[in-house]
Amino acid sequence: MFVAKSIAAEHKDLIHDIAFDFYGRRMATCSSDQSVQVWDLKEDGEWHCSASWKTHFGSVWRVTWAHPEFGQVLASCSFDRTAAVWEEMIGDSHPNERKQSHWTKRAMLVDSRTSVTDVKFSPRHLGLQLTTCSADGVVRFYEAPDVTNLAQFTVNEEIHTKMSCSCVSWNPSRVHPPMIAVGSDDPNPAGGGKVQIFEFRDSERKWIKVETLMNITDAVHDLSFAPNLGRSYHVIAVATKDVRIMTLKPLRRDPGVMGPMRLEIRQPAQLEHNDAQVWRISWNVTGTILASSSDDGYVRLWKANYLENWKCIQELKGDGTSVPPTLALHRESQQSQSQGKSQSSQDSSMMDSFSRSRYLAM
């Protein structure tokens, strides 16, 4: 059973994002108060704020950690049209500052002309790369040629998606070509699919759009690729007014055939949240449990069985209390039974009308 714990954050405005580091013992939070805070998990099991500083001149939408191989490095993005890279330094120049850490700005990325809505570091095997997406529909890829000099992040490529971008996610798979998914928060369903999939083609050294998820027409607030542990296909979760679980299976093609890789797209699950908007989703390290947070004040944990049937295994309230897994499952079973009863009543009414029509015909 998962235990919910409430932390008295010291932010003075809305908290927009929370990110855990690789080991899960540090987390960073960002807020509309223009600041980022770093929290450390102590031996007593409590979270303590170890750093807090102003990072931007507008609301900070997202924060993310780099792999620890590159040091203690954070990236943040903001409404002020910039993204920033931060590194933790241990002070030893003064006896009073010995073993005390402070965060230093290493790079400021100022290429966007509109709000930078998301920022993500690439998986470790791709080196120290960073991608950002903006409200004007531009996705930018940055890379640090020298990982020891974080002040030199250069733009490798720009993608114009022709939609208002709200979130981006890297595919962590090491055995497939680099892939990202970009989501849009455009509320107009007539605008078409709100998730685009891009793949990096090594022969052309550029990113190619390989698919658009046309069945997702609602505004997308977050999306996340699941860790790939030997699967031959990709799994991505998309947060809209509910959560969609999508599978992307690469299709084989002849060696002489040119063009982008084709994907077989399936939607094995649609996870309802009682008509509440879902804002953030996150996978566990094995990609077997999905956490979702919605504006009804709940964090829900979802898990699939071997038949790909997804169930809510626990609900955690925003006040720090939790709903036992049995109660969450009971509530879901009641909903399924009520849906089944309504369906059976519809079927019986259809059968009655069919019988009456046959009687009248006789």
Side-chain angles (χ1 to χ4, degrees), residues 112-164:
S112 177
R113 297 183 179 181
T114 57
S115 173
V116 182
T117 53
D118 201 358
V119 58
K120 289 290 190 303
F121 282 105
S122 67
R124 169 192 176 189
H125 64 276
L126 296 177
L128 190 56
Q129 295 190 54
L130 189 70
T131 183
T132 65
C133 66
S134 305
D136 59 359
V138 180
V139 178
R140 294 178 174 85
F141 296 87
Y142 298 86
E143 185 174 8
D146 182 5
V147 297
T148 62
N149 184 9
L150 300 183
Q152 295 182 354
F153 271 89
T154 58
V155 181
N156 282 347
E157 189 175 349
E158 292 185 356
I159 299 175
H160 295 267
T161 63
K162 298 181 181 180
M163 63 181 187
S164 176

Side-chain angles (χ1 to χ4, degrees), residues 11-27:
H11 285 291
K12 299 177 182 179
D13 210 327
L14 292 175
I15 297 176
H16 294 288
D17 197 21
I18 297 175
F20 287 91
D21 73 340
F22 180 79
Y23 301 106
R25 300 193 61 84
R26 307 191 81 182
M27 70 176 179

Side-chain angles (χ1 to χ4, degrees), residues 29-82:
T29 59
C30 62
S31 168
S32 284
D33 64 6
Q34 306 176 2
S35 71
V36 166
Q37 294 182 2
V38 174
W39 300 75
D40 294 322
L41 182 62
K42 300 301 183 181
E43 295 181 357
D44 58 1
E46 298 295 331
W47 290 92
H48 298 271
C49 183
S50 60
S52 178
W53 71 100
K54 182 179 178 180
T55 56
H56 293 273
F57 294 97
S59 296
V60 187
W61 302 130
R62 298 276 190 156
V63 64
T64 183
W65 293 85
H67 191 276
E69 175 183 314
F70 307 109
Q72 295 297 304
V73 179
L74 281 172
S76 59
C77 65
S78 170
F79 180 76
D80 66 3
R81 303 180 294 179
T82 66

Side-chain angles (χ1 to χ4, degrees), residues 96-332:
N96 295 332
E97 296 181 355
R98 189 163 299 167
K99 293 184 179 182
Q100 292 185 0
S101 65
H102 61 278
W103 289 83
T104 302
K105 183 190 296 183
R106 292 303 188 191
M108 180 67 80
L109 313 178
V110 296
D111 301 282
S112 177
R113 297 183 179 181
T114 57
S115 173
V116 182
T117 53
D118 201 358
V119 58
K120 289 290 190 303
F121 282 105
S122 67
R124 169 192 176 189
H125 64 276
L126 296 177
L128 190 56
Q129 295 190 54
L130 189 70
T131 183
T132 65
C133 66
S134 305
D136 59 359
V138 180
V139 178
R140 294 178 174 85
F141 296 87
Y142 298 86
E143 185 174 8
D146 182 5
V147 297
T148 62
N149 184 9
L150 300 183
Q152 295 182 354
F153 271 89
T154 58
V155 181
N156 282 347
E157 189 175 349
E158 292 185 356
I159 299 175
H160 295 267
T161 63
K162 298 181 181 180
M163 63 181 187
S164 176
C165 298
S166 60
C167 49
V168 64
S169 176
W170 286 85
N171 186 353
S173 175
R174 298 174 59 96
V175 298
H176 296 93
M179 178 182 290
I180 67 164
V182 182
S184 171
D185 58 359
D186 181 4
N188 183 14
K194 297 299 190 295
V195 177
Q196 296 181 4
I197 308 296
F198 295 87
E199 186 179 81
F200 184 75
R201 180 152 332 150
D202 196 53
S203 59
E204 302 181 23
R205 304 298 300 171
K206 66 177 183 179
W207 289 87
I208 304 294
K209 185 170 76 170
V210 294
E211 203 63 67
T212 299
L213 305 186
M214 299 302 297
N215 63 320
I216 301 178
T217 57
D218 296 308
V220 175
H221 307 300
D222 196 12
L223 43 75
S224 178
F225 275 102
N228 191 319
L229 299 180
R231 285 190 299 262
S232 61
Y233 57 91
H234 315 297
V235 178
I236 184 172
V238 182
T240 61
K241 62 181 181 181
D242 47 34
V243 174
R244 312 285 184 91
I245 306 296
M246 309 295 297
T247 61
L248 314 175
K249 183 178 181 179
L251 298 177
R252 292 184 179 181
R253 62 182 179 184
D254 296 333
V257 177
M258 302 300 292
M261 172 70 72
R262 302 301 299 174
L263 299 172
E264 179 186 343
I265 301 175
R266 292 179 56 246
Q267 180 180 304
Q270 182 172 343
L271 313 179
E272 300 293 339
H273 286 69
N274 299 328
D275 296 327
Q277 291 284 334
V278 182
W279 292 98
R280 291 291 182 267
I281 50 178
S282 180
W283 294 94
N284 66 342
V285 69
T286 57
T288 55
I289 297 178
L290 177 69
S292 62
S293 64
S294 49
D295 56 13
D296 60 356
Y298 281 89
V299 172
R300 293 175 174 87
L301 304 179
W302 306 86
K303 189 174 183 180
N305 59 14
Y306 68 98
L307 295 175
E308 283 191 314
N309 294 325
W310 287 80
K311 300 292 184 181
C312 179
I313 60 175
Q314 192 160 0
E315 293 179 344
L316 308 175
K317 294 183 179 180
D319 58 3
T321 60
S322 63
V323 178
T326 54
L327 185 56
L329 290 173
H330 178 66
R331 182 183 303 173
E332 186 168 340

